[in-house]
Amino acid sequence: MKFAEHLSAHVTPEWNSQYIRYDEMKELLAQAIAKAQPFVDENDKLLREQFFLRVDEHFFQYCEKEATKINTFFAEKLAEASRRWETLKYEVMQMEQARRSTLHRSTVISSGSAGSNDPNIGATNTDGGTSTELKHRSGHSEDDRLTASLTRALPERLLEKTREKHSQRVQYRKRTDLKLAFSEFYLMLVLLQNYQTLNFMGFRKILKKHDKLFQITRGEEWRKLHIDSAPFHTSQRVDQLISDVETLYTDTFESGNRARAMKRLRVPPLEEKQSPVVTFRVGIFVGMLCLLLPAVIVLGTHLHDSQSTKPLAWRQALFLYRSTFLVVLHIVLVGINVYGWSSSGVNHVLIFEIDPRNHLTYQQFLEIGTFLFVLWFLSFTGFILSSYYDFHPFVQPLGFVTLILLFLFNPTPTLYHQARFWFLKTLYRVICAPFYRVGFADFWLGDQLTSLELIFFDIEYFFCFYIYDVGWWPVYSLSPTRSALCNGWPQIVLQTILMILPSWFRFAQCLRRYRDTKQKFPHLANAGKYATGFLVISTNSLRRATAIHFLNDPTANPFLYVWIVASFIGATYKLIWDFKMDWGFFDANDNENKFLREQIVYPSKFYYYAGIIQDVTFRYIWIINVFMHFRTRSAEYADVIGFIFGLIEVFRRFIWNYFRLENEHLNNCGEFRAVRDISIAPISTIVDHGTLEDMMDKENGIRNRRNAKRHDLTKEKIKRKTLTTNQATDNDTAHVNTPSQSIFNIDKIADEFDINVTDPLLT
């Protein structure tokens, strides 16, 4: 493999701009060779030498610029690593102190409790002496006193045991979080170590190519002078940190078992290796679908009536099956999303902050989706056949929904248990908004639910149908009574509330983000976007509820026009937000990427322009409903058209996911965030930016690392500021600042590298 391919395959995507520009340097050499003429005589050889000297002057300036960039970035990341290491050590120390304190307190309490219940131990007098109980007292009096003593002591012991159990739970959670923080920190160190190796290899390769093409040795001499002694190559601090992390983690969390510790700490390959077994199963399921799909089409077109000459219940089947079809289709499309992100270098694992050592690959998503599709088609085939033979057809959709719920809530460690548990936790936080802090995965899942509003609409029909409409004996009998919630206005109100739920989840999340960050924009503006969803759904429900009064002239319904205005405002609001905020398009610095943004990840601009066109089209496709009148023939297919709209919205969200994750990935690249910033203790924000700016204006203000004024400033701020943590914006994943306790380590690192480390390192 050529080194250029090796470099592109192993770079950390979020640090891509900070690596050696190997391709550009190679292009400089190629252009120089192309311009050099194959001189023959001695005089021409002299001209050739002069030409290459001028080329070298420019080339080595470029190399020096690259080396400075790499040294500076490495120093920044090493300073960040040192601060995080000091935080982790401090948190481990605090955890161990708390554990020892709890053990000591438990020992004291247990010994004290034993003493208080011992009838042979005397009571202490006020003068320090002890007195024993008189032996001549009656046994009945002794029993009364003992019972009273136990009655007083028992609640105290129970209360103390409750406190002890609570303390143990807190310590367990902190211990678990600390182990995860160590794992992420170790990943950062490994990435930084790879950064050192790849850049040194890049300089060595390009300078070797330089000498080979120019037939000189100046490249090797320049490397020995500037690169072999460069801080990013000579520093052993990263190796030392890796060793220290392994030692501390092994001793603290794994009781000296190094093999078990390394299994937890070691980072898997950056590329996702696929399992041949999973690939085989996906192929089997796809093959089964290729057989089941035409079978369903044939049965559906040939079987119209049952053996008892009753028409098959196609309308009921549509309501009972369309929501589950959308769910399964969405799973498959997310699998395709994951494949697109992985193949394009979009780090979705970091963005969703999932475990990089244990997460679903795109093939596993496709395996789940295709398997559920096989079950869906088998269930639908069973429905058609059981309808034809008049044998309880509605057991089939109920059974399929039951299978999905059993798969999702299966408590056994099978069927991707950790992935299902992660999804359920995220879904719980979405439903309970705004009572939990909102991360990227939370509001991303909330956005997915807003594209599945049809499911929430069908929930009401599903329960009403199976409670009141299904007559199991015989098949088509009707229940004599129906609930008020399944008829008239109450039914429409219930459907409206259910459909509003996805928009409410996102609305509540935006309010929580505003509470955490105090930023009116973008959080309150984003909340306004989802508030328009309330208006659209409500006006549409009013239009449907009053349609019966305007059967002769549907256009006379005033709520029709209110709904049209609300839908237009909502669609326009959401469209603008998609382009500007979620996708980052129409950037003023778009350069050659007209109407897009300065940087793009996917290989062709056509994808972006096609995405813009489809988003505009699908955002306004609701206009078709305006031309549908329930008196016309199209009313017969209104439910089918609603299902088609649901399919279109799922596909629109599928395209949206690509550009939303790409934009988030580029935000991480701009902040060089390559791992999750997990910390347990609150972090101090101690930097007085105004004072720092004043110091920067002075000639040597920021370079003087041991300036007394700066140290006084830092210590004073440590004393009078409380510990706080940063919260992420709606368009960023969460960031946590590094602690103040190791801020003075920057002095040592700056001295080691002999470079100027500016104030971003201190923030």
Side-chain angles (χ1 to χ4, degrees), residues 19 44 57 76 82 459 603:
Y19 283 84
D44 290 335
E57 182 180 359
E76 292 176 358
S82 297
I459 287 176

Side-chain angles (χ1 to χ4, degrees), residues 54 103 154 178 205 264 272 344 346 406 596 669 721:
R54 291 194 300 271
L103 290 176
L154 189 60
L178 258 178
K205 290 283 187 181
R264 174 63 182 171
E272 294 184 347
S344 300
V346 175
L406 289 176
L596 304 179
C669 290
K721 280 205 172 184

Side-chain angles (χ1 to χ4, degrees), residues 655-698:
I655 301 299
W656 180 91
N657 286 337
Y658 277 119
F659 302 121
R660 181 65 185 90
L661 267 289
E662 178 202 25
N663 192 34
E664 189 68 22
H665 172 76
L666 292 175
N667 290 336
N668 284 336
C669 290
E671 297 170 357
F672 308 117
R673 179 177 179 266
V675 294
R676 292 182 290 174
D677 298 332
I678 300 174
S679 185
I680 310 303
I683 307 304
S684 175
T685 54
I686 64 169
V687 179
D688 188 336
H689 292 280
T691 304
L692 285 176
E693 290 176 1
D694 293 339
M695 294 169 65
M696 291 175 66
D697 291 337
K698 298 179 181 180

Side-chain angles (χ1 to χ4, degrees), residues 643-656:
F643 176 49
I644 294 174
F645 281 174
L647 290 173
I648 290 174
E649 176 58 22
V650 168
F651 182 76
R652 189 199 65 81
R653 183 63 64 180
F654 163 69
I655 301 299
W656 180 91

Side-chain angles (χ1 to χ4, degrees), residues 99 293 428 520 565 637 663 716 757:
R99 184 180 63 84
L293 179 59
Y428 175 77
K520 294 182 180 179
V565 173
Y637 305 101
N663 192 34
E716 180 183 353
V757 185

Side-chain angles (χ1 to χ4, degrees), residues 21-47:
R21 298 185 181 276
Y22 183 83
D23 287 333
E24 295 184 12
M25 298 166 77
K26 190 168 68 170
E27 182 64 23
L28 286 176
L29 297 179
Q31 292 177 0
I33 293 297
K35 293 179 181 179
Q37 298 298 323
F39 304 110
V40 178
D41 54 20
E42 290 293 332
N43 190 28
D44 290 335
K45 287 182 179 179
L46 181 60
L47 293 175

Side-chain angles (χ1 to χ4, degrees), residues 46-142:
L46 181 60
L47 293 175
R48 177 187 177 94
E49 179 67 21
Q50 292 175 350
F51 172 77
F52 282 139
L53 282 173
R54 291 194 300 271
V55 171
D56 280 351
E57 182 180 359
H58 174 68
F59 178 75
F60 288 135
Q61 285 179 354
Y62 193 92
C63 291
E64 186 174 0
K65 179 182 176 182
E66 289 295 293
T68 302
K69 176 189 74 176
I70 293 168
N71 278 326
T72 303
F73 181 76
F74 179 73
E76 292 176 358
K77 284 300 169 184
L78 189 54
E80 178 185 342
S82 297
R83 294 195 301 272
R84 292 181 66 177
W85 172 234
E86 293 298 325
T87 301
L88 289 175
K89 288 195 299 184
Y90 176 77
E91 290 173 354
V92 168
M93 180 185 68
Q94 292 292 321
M95 183 189 69
E96 290 299 311
Q97 288 179 353
R99 184 180 63 84
R100 287 193 294 267
S101 176
T102 302
L103 290 176
H104 176 71
R105 186 168 61 252
S106 300
T107 304
V108 172
I109 291 172
S110 60
S111 61
S113 300
S116 65
N117 291 324
D118 191 346
N120 296 322
I121 298 178
T124 303
N125 293 330
T126 56
D127 59 355
T130 60
S131 62
T132 59
E133 297 293 337
L134 297 176
K135 300 296 182 180
H136 65 273
R137 292 188 178 181
S138 65
H140 180 73
S141 298
E142 290 183 2

Side-chain angles (χ1 to χ4, degrees), residues 625-645:
N625 272 333
V626 177
F627 302 101
M628 291 180 57
H629 305 292
F630 297 106
R631 289 189 307 163
T632 62
R633 193 173 180 180
S634 60
E636 182 180 352
Y637 305 101
D639 299 329
V640 177
I641 293 175
F643 176 49
I644 294 174
F645 281 174

